[in-house]
Amino acid sequence: MSPPTPRLRRALLVLTPCLRRALLVLTPCLRRAPLVLTTALAALLCALAPLPAAADGSAGTAPAADTAPAVGDGPAAGDGPADWTARPAGGGADRDARPYVYLEGTPGTALQDRLAVTNSGRAPLTVRLRGDGRAGAWIGFAADTVTVPARTRAEVPLALTVPPDAVPGDASGEVVADDGDEEVRVPVRVRIGGPTLAALTVEDVEISGGTIRYALVNRGNAMLEPRLAVRADGVFGTLLDRPERPLPLELAPGRRVERTEPWPDAPALDAVTVRLRVTAPGGARDEAEASATYVPVGPAVGGGLLVLGGLALLGSVAYRRRRTRRGDPEPPDTETGGTEPPGAETADDRQPTTETRPLVKAGPLVKAGAES
């Protein structure tokens, strides 16, 4: 290897201090590089890994499986006021699947069930329980007031005692849960053992323009689902014929419901008879009818004015004739008996003597007598 040339030596002398300063600057950075790389790698691994701590933390604060909010209980907590529901309690896969409380028994027996109150809010909930309706009056609760913690479900036992004198058939009512701001109603249906009677009447049928009004009354002891058929006959034939169809209601024993049936194409001029036929399972059946006369408003008003005008005209003519009769000359006096001959001078035609005869002077008359 040949020795460096003078030019190379001068270059090395110039670059040596620069290299030293560069090494002094880079040495701390090189020392911190492993620490920076290790920190970045740890952060990346933490971001990609699952977070079991969050699940453990929620398990520590959330209620047990039986206290978790039921599906469909309402919006999540935090969206507004505490949400809550009340419904018939159940067990297993059909939990909270019943739409109403259903019980069966004979008169004098006590039937039991449970009501589930679910509080899905973040604050405790206090509700008051009571029964409403015929079957609701037979219900007693283990506690009339229940406080349910946040995100908790509570089940309240209830007992329904069928009165000894209850009529066999179906009875209905409601369980009412009230928190002071709103209330939730849970339907209750009771089947009372014994012979049942299905009886139904349709009453108070009225026709008003394009509306038919009527009332349905359950006269038996069984729950009824009525069906209605409507027929209307006029002077020239059938105007309306609606086949039997189910009505959207359940008629409890002893209940009366007033309903209306629309008739948008009612006639403008006709005499109509409307017949309603109502049936229900179990042999319940009844019919009722009503009549009405349709008259156009315009012609009726015009005819009435014409009649009034004719009556006014006849009255005016009669009045004028009466006035004319009162102005006729009076008949001749018949007290003297008989009638005077034609051309005879009447008392009315004779002039008074003092007005028709001239006065004669006394003097000439005396003188004439003397001369004669």
Side-chain angles (χ1 to χ4, degrees):
M1 180 178 181
S2 59
T5 60
R7 182 177 294 177
L8 182 58
R9 289 177 181 178
R10 287 194 297 272
L12 291 174
L13 291 175
V14 174
L15 293 175
T16 299
C18 295
L19 292 175
R20 290 177 179 176
R21 288 195 295 271
L23 290 174
L24 292 176
V25 173
L26 293 175
T27 298
C29 295
L30 294 175
R31 290 176 181 176
R32 289 194 299 269
L35 180 60
V36 173
L37 293 175
T38 303
T39 304
L41 182 60
L44 181 62
L45 292 176
C46 289
L48 296 177
L51 300 176
D56 295 339
S58 62
T61 58
D66 188 51
T67 61
V71 178
D73 282 345
D79 293 345
D83 299 322
W84 61 281
T85 61
R87 59 184 61 182
D94 64 340
R95 188 181 76 175
D96 296 344
R98 295 184 297 163
Y100 51 82
V101 175
Y102 179 78
L103 300 170
E104 293 184 0
T106 57
T109 58
L111 310 174
Q112 297 182 356
D113 208 319
R114 293 175 299 162
L115 181 73
V117 180
T118 303
N119 179 13
S120 57
R122 295 182 177 179
L125 172 70
T126 300
V127 297
R128 290 175 294 276
L129 305 176
R130 61 181 176 88
D132 191 18
R134 181 189 175 195
W138 304 341
I139 299 177
F141 302 93
D144 294 335
T145 303
V146 180
T147 300
V148 185
R151 298 182 179 274
T152 304
R153 167 195 171 98
E155 294 187 356
V156 183
L158 61 88
L160 187 148
T161 303
V162 183
D165 57 348
V167 179
D170 296 330
S172 62
E174 291 177 321
V175 172
V176 182
D178 187 358
D179 69 343
D181 295 329
E182 61 179 345
E183 63 181 28
V184 177
R185 293 180 173 266
V186 180
V188 177
R189 296 182 181 177
V190 182
R191 172 63 61 87
I192 304 172
T196 60
L197 172 64
L200 177 67
T201 59
V202 54
E203 305 173 356
D204 301 335
V205 181
E206 296 180 357
I207 307 171
S208 176
T211 303
I212 304 172
R213 305 179 185 276
Y214 63 98
L216 298 178
V217 184
N218 187 343
R219 301 294 183 180
N221 57 14
M223 187 76 67
L224 298 180
E225 297 180 357
R227 302 173 64 88
L228 174 69
V230 183
R231 181 184 177 89
D233 295 321
V235 176
F236 300 103
T238 302
L239 302 175
L240 179 65
D241 190 4
R242 294 179 181 173
E244 188 176 87
R245 73 182 192 281
L247 296 178
L249 63 91
E250 290 184 346
L251 203 59
R255 185 184 177 191
R256 173 190 174 94
V257 177
E258 295 183 355
R259 295 184 54 84
T260 59
E261 183 76 9
W263 190 9
D265 53 349
L269 177 62
D270 205 341
V272 180
T273 300
V274 175
R275 294 178 178 85
L276 303 182
R277 185 179 71 253
V278 181
T279 61
R285 177 189 178 91
D286 192 29
E287 293 185 2
E289 66 179 35
S291 300
T293 302
Y294 289 86
V295 178
V297 177
V301 174
L305 294 177
L306 183 61
V307 171
L308 292 177
L311 293 177
L313 180 60
L314 292 177
S316 177
V317 171
Y319 179 74
R320 290 179 180 178
R321 288 182 177 178
R322 188 176 302 171
R323 290 288 302 272
T324 304
R325 289 177 181 176
R326 289 181 179 178
D328 290 344
E330 297 200 5
D333 189 8
T334 59
E335 292 182 358
T336 58
T339 59
E340 297 183 3
E345 186 178 13
T346 62
D348 293 336
D349 296 331
R350 292 194 295 268
Q351 299 293 332
T353 305
T354 57
E355 295 180 2
T356 58
R357 294 181 180 180
L359 294 177
V360 178
K361 292 182 180 182
L365 292 175
V366 174
K367 185 177 180 179
E371 291 179 353
S372 59

